[in-house]
Amino acid sequence: MSSTPQHYDAIIIGAGFGGIRALHEFRKIGLKAHVFEAGTDVGGTWYWNRYPGARTDSEAWCYCYKFDEELLQTWDWKERMPSWKEVFAYLRHVVDKHDLRRDIEFQTRIKSAHFDADAKLWRVTPENGVTYTCQYLISASGVLTVPYMPPFPGLETFKGEVYRSSSWPRHEVNFAGKRVAIVGTGATGVQIIPVVAQVAKHLTVFQRTPNYVMPGRNHFIEEEQRAGIRANYDEMWNWTRTNPFAFPMAPCNQMFDDYTPEQQQRIFDGGWEVGGFRFIFETFADMLVNPGCNEAAAEYIRNKIRAVVKDPKTAELLSPHYQFGLKRPPLGHFYYETFNRSNVSLVSVKDTPIERITPTGVVVDGKEHAADIIIFATGFDGGTGALTSIDLRGREGRLMKDAWADGPRTHMGITVDGFPNLFMISGPQTPFANIPIIIDSVVDWISAVVQKARRDGESVIEATPEGVEGWVQHVQKLFSMTVMDKGDHSVHSWLMGNNIPGKTRSVLFYFGGAPMYFQELDESVDMGFPGFTFTKSTAKPGKTATAT
Ligand code: NA7
C-alpha cells in the first residue's frame, strides 16, 4: 500500500446546498474535487432535520439552484414552502442529474484539517483516521450544523423515548395516545408543535423565551402559478440581486414615518395576509433600523396573539417584549391556534428553569410534568460552530477555535488570515439572507479567485490581516445601525451566538443587505482581489505577491 495520501485539488466538507454547488463548479473549471459528508446521503440540513412539520421558510422557486436552467423548467415544486422531503428529493435529483454522487464520500465526518505551510497543502483527516491532502479546502458545512443540547440533569434516567430535532430518526415516530414534552420554541419547535399536537394525547410545551411567529401561509402550487414562475425566472433572479434578503421581491421603499397610523396598520395587514417573510420584506424598509417602526411591528404581532389565543394568561406568556428581529422570527402554521387546544399546555421556564428530568417526566418549579416522549429542539451553535468544533489549524498550528475566541474574524465571510486556501461557504459574516442565492455568489467568487491564482501560477491564496480587520470593522458598523445591536443583550439569539453558554456575543452576520454584498464581491473580482496575498508556486513559503 502506498504511504502517499490521496490528493485532490479541492476537498469540500458537506454535501448540502453549498457543497453540491461547489462540487459542480469545481468540476466545471477542471478541478479534481472530492466531498466528505457525515450523513448517508446528500441534503445537509434537509438530511438531518427531518422532524414532523420540517419545511423551508423560503418560497420554493427561489430556494433552489440557478445554474441548471433546464431543471428550473422541469422540476415541479409542489408547495410554496416545501417540506424537508421535497427539498431532500430535489437535492438528490440535482446530484444524480449531474452525476455528482461519484465524488461524494458518505458517512465520513471530518475530524481534523491542518495546513502544511511547507508543502502548501491541507492535510484532512476524517474520523476513520485516513489522511487526504488537497490544495483548497472548502468548508460547506452550513450555518446551523452543530446542535446545542443543554445539560439537563437526570436525562439519562428517563424511561420514555427521547428525540432531538436535529438528528431525527428515519423511522416514523408514533405520537398517538402519548404524552409528549417539547423543549424549545424557536423556528424548529414552532414547526413541530402544531403537528404533534394533532395526534398526541397531551403536549406540554416548555418555553423559555417567546418568539414573534409570523404566519407561513404555505399552499400547494397550482399549474397556472407554476407556469408563471417558470416564465419569470430571469426577472426573479434580478430581483434577488436588489432585495436586501436576496428574495425575488421588488425592493420595498416605504418608510414607516411617512405614513399615518391608519395607513401603517393597513400596510402591516397586507404583509400579514400574504404570509411568510413578506411581513418584514414588503411592509417597511426601516423595520430593523427604526425603533418606532420596530415597536409598532412588535405590537402588531402581540395584538394578533391576543386575538387568537383565548386564555389571556397563555397569550401573555406567548407574547415577546424584546425588539422584533433580535431573534430570527419563525414562520408558523396554526402555531398560536394550537394553544387553544385542550390537549396542549404551555409551561414557562423563563423564571423557573427545568430542574431535572425524572424517569417519567420533566420537573419545573417542583412539579413533574409526565411524559412518554421528550423532544429537544434546543438550537445550534450557529455560524461558527461547524468550524470551531473540529481540529482546524492554519499557519503555525493556530486553531480556528482560538482565532475566533472573541467572535469570528473573516474577509468577506469567505476567508480567514492565517488559514490559506481555506474558503467558507455560508461562513460567518456573510449576509443573513436567502441561503442558496448567497451560496451561488460566494461559490462564483471562490471560483474566480481560484481561476485567477491558477492562471497566474500562484499556489497559495490568503487573506491579509488588514483585509480581515477591514471586513470585521465593516460588519460591526453595519450591525451597529440595526435594532439588534441596541437590543436587549440578555435575549438569546443564535444570530449573535449568545444562545450558547460561554460563547461571546458577536456579529455573526453581515447586515448591509445582499445587494451591497454582491457589489462588494463583484468589486473584489474587478479590482484583482484586494486584501489578499498570492504566493507563486515557485516562491519559497512566505514569499508572496500582494494584491493591494
Ligand atoms: P433556536 O431558534 O435557537 O431555538 C432554540 C430553542 O431552545 C429556544 O426556544 C431556546 O430558548 C430553547 N432552549 C435552549 N436551551 C434551553 C434550556 N436550557 N431550557 C429551555 N429552553 C431552551 O433553534 P431552532 O432549531 O428552533 O431554529 C434554528 C434555525 O433553524 C431557525 O432560526 C431557522 O433559521 C432554521 P431561548 O430562546 O434561548 O430562551
Side-chain angles (χ1 to χ4, degrees):
M1 217 175 115
S2 160
S3 58
T4 311
Q6 170 77 48
H7 181 79
Y8 298 101
D9 293 327
I11 284 180
I12 300 165
I13 308 175
F17 259 103
I20 294 169
R21 174 67 173 81
L23 176 58
H24 179 265
E25 180 68 22
F26 281 137
R27 260 206 210 160
K28 198 176 85 184
I29 63 171
L31 263 66
K32 193 175 171 217
H34 192 76
V35 179
F36 288 108
E37 164 57 52
T40 59
D41 207 333
V42 299
T45 287
W46 305 105
Y47 170 88
W48 297 103
N49 293 269
R50 49 182 76 202
Y51 55 80
R55 62 178 63 254
T56 72
D57 285 342
S58 299
E59 287 157 341
W61 49 89
C62 63
Y63 194 77
C64 58
Y65 292 116
K66 289 155 66 171
F67 69 80
D68 184 342
E69 286 191 21
E70 200 244 350
L71 185 60
L72 292 172
Q73 294 304 324
T74 51
W75 183 262
D76 280 341
W77 287 112
K78 290 180 186 59
E79 295 183 73
R80 176 186 181 187
M81 275 89 174
S83 71
W84 72 266
K85 277 187 192 164
E86 221 183 329
V87 185
F88 182 51
Y90 168 77
L91 290 171
R92 295 189 76 209
H93 179 73
V94 171
V95 164
D96 292 333
K97 183 171 187 277
H98 292 273
D99 188 24
L100 298 173
R101 205 171 273 273
R102 66 184 154 91
D103 286 326
I104 307 175
E105 205 165 317
F106 295 102
Q107 289 181 281
T108 317
R109 189 180 285 280
I110 298 301
K111 194 171 129 218
S112 69
H114 297 172
F115 184 70
D116 179 334
D118 294 330
K120 293 183 194 149
L121 47 74
W122 282 93
R123 296 187 189 281
V124 180
T125 312
E127 279 174 351
N128 64 17
V130 179
T131 295
Y132 302 80
T133 59
C134 61
Q135 184 176 7
Y136 305 113
L137 179 62
I138 316 297
S139 157
S141 32
V143 182
L144 296 159
T145 315
V146 179
Y148 169 61
M149 182 62 204
F152 293 117
L155 178 57
E156 68 291 349
T157 68
F158 184 62
K159 292 216 158 50
E161 298 161 55
V162 174
Y163 298 101
R164 294 181 173 85
S165 59
S166 52
S167 53
W168 200 263
R170 296 173 86 95
H171 64 80
E172 202 69 33
V173 177
N174 184 9
F175 296 104
K178 302 273 176 62
R179 295 163 305 177
V180 183
I182 179 163
V183 183
T185 55
T188 301
V190 164
Q191 290 187 332
I192 297 173
I193 288 163
V195 179
V196 172
Q198 285 176 42
V199 280
K201 181 175 174 201
H202 193 86
L203 176 66
T204 310
V205 177
F206 294 89
Q207 172 196 272
R208 191 164 63 182
T209 313
N211 264 300
Y212 292 98
V213 182
M214 302 179 295
R217 304 205 196 284
N218 179 41
H219 57 71
F220 287 105
I221 299 174
E222 302 294 338
E223 200 43 58
E224 195 184 332
Q225 186 185 11
R226 187 173 293 126
I229 292 166
R230 285 189 176 147
N232 286 309
Y233 268 115
D234 286 345
E235 193 182 354
M236 282 204 312
W237 299 143
N238 286 339
W239 280 349
T240 61
R241 303 281 301 177
T242 56
N243 179 276
F245 295 93
F247 283 97
M249 298 175 196
C252 165
N253 297 318
Q254 300 174 135
M255 294 295 164
F256 183 73
D257 295 333
D258 292 343
Y259 294 86
T260 65
E262 293 73 29
Q263 289 169 328
Q264 291 163 352
Q265 286 301 303
R266 275 208 301 280
I267 292 170
F268 279 140
D269 286 343
W272 194 260
E273 281 317 308
V274 74
F277 288 128
R278 288 170 190 263
F279 180 74
I280 304 177
F281 304 158
E282 291 187 337
T283 52
F284 296 106
D286 53 349
M287 194 182 275
L288 299 182
V289 291
N290 174 351
C293 178
N294 191 272
E295 174 51 23
E299 184 58 12
Y300 182 92
I301 301 176
R302 286 191 290 266
N303 281 332
K304 289 288 181 193
I305 300 169
R306 290 170 195 135
V308 170
V309 180
K310 291 187 183 135
D311 173 38
K313 261 199 196 145
T314 306
E316 188 46 36
L317 277 180
L318 289 166
S319 298
H321 289 278
Y322 51 84
Q323 290 77 7
F324 178 57
L326 194 55
K327 290 165 88 70
R328 193 280 211 177
L331 298 187
H333 289 96
F334 306 102
Y335 179 68
Y336 291 121
E337 288 82 350
T338 299
F339 292 91
N340 291 332
R341 296 179 68 107
S342 57
N343 70 331
V344 175
S345 45
L346 179 66
V347 176
S348 174
V349 293
K350 186 174 187 317
D351 301 321
T352 49
I354 292 171
E355 274 167 37
R356 62 182 190 283
I357 314 274
T358 67
T360 49
V362 179
V363 179
V364 175
D365 203 13
K367 182 180 173 213
E368 184 186 74
H369 299 266
D372 306 305
I373 297 177
I374 307 178
I375 301 171
F376 291 101
T378 42
F380 298 87
D381 181 358
T384 52
L387 289 173
T388 56
S389 64
I390 63 168
D391 177 15
L392 177 62
R393 293 171 191 270
R395 286 195 188 280
E396 285 136 32
R398 186 161 164 75
L399 258 180
M400 187 66 92
K401 195 172 174 207
D402 295 338
W404 286 357
D406 296 325
R409 297 180 57 79
T410 76
H411 191 11
M412 300 197 304
I414 306 175
T415 56
V416 183
D417 56 319
F419 292 79
N421 287 351
L422 168 71
F423 299 99
M424 301 176 292
I425 300 172
S426 299
Q429 302 181 338
T430 49
F432 181 62
N434 186 14
I435 288 177
I437 301 296
I438 302 299
I439 285 173
D440 201 64
S441 290
V442 166
V443 173
D444 280 350
W445 183 91
I446 297 170
S447 176
V449 77
V450 165
Q451 288 183 77
K452 176 252 181 271
R454 291 173 91 79
R455 218 170 31 237
D456 296 349
E458 295 153 343
S459 55
V460 179
I461 306 164
E462 187 170 1
T464 62
E466 298 75 30
V468 168
E469 180 58 25
W471 191 257
V472 170
Q473 296 286 338
H474 182 45
V475 292
Q476 264 164 2
K477 195 168 163 210
L478 293 169
F479 184 65
S480 72
M481 296 175 201
T482 68
V483 289
M484 282 93 101
D485 188 37
K486 294 157 200 87
D488 182 348
H489 284 214
S490 70
V491 173
H492 309 122
S493 176
W494 65 264
L495 294 178
M496 273 77 80
N498 64 338
N499 62 322
I500 302 298
K503 186 170 171 177
T504 308
R505 188 184 197 270
S506 63
V507 187
L508 291 182
F509 292 92
Y510 171 103
F511 284 100
M516 191 159 99
Y517 183 71
F518 295 146
Q519 196 184 331
E520 299 191 78
L521 291 181
D522 290 347
E523 281 172 8
S524 168
V525 176
D526 292 346
M527 292 164 67
F529 306 99
F532 288 90
T533 59
F534 294 85
T535 308
K536 289 272 182 205
S537 303
T538 49
K540 291 214 169 64
K543 209 166 179 204
T544 56
T546 307
T548 48

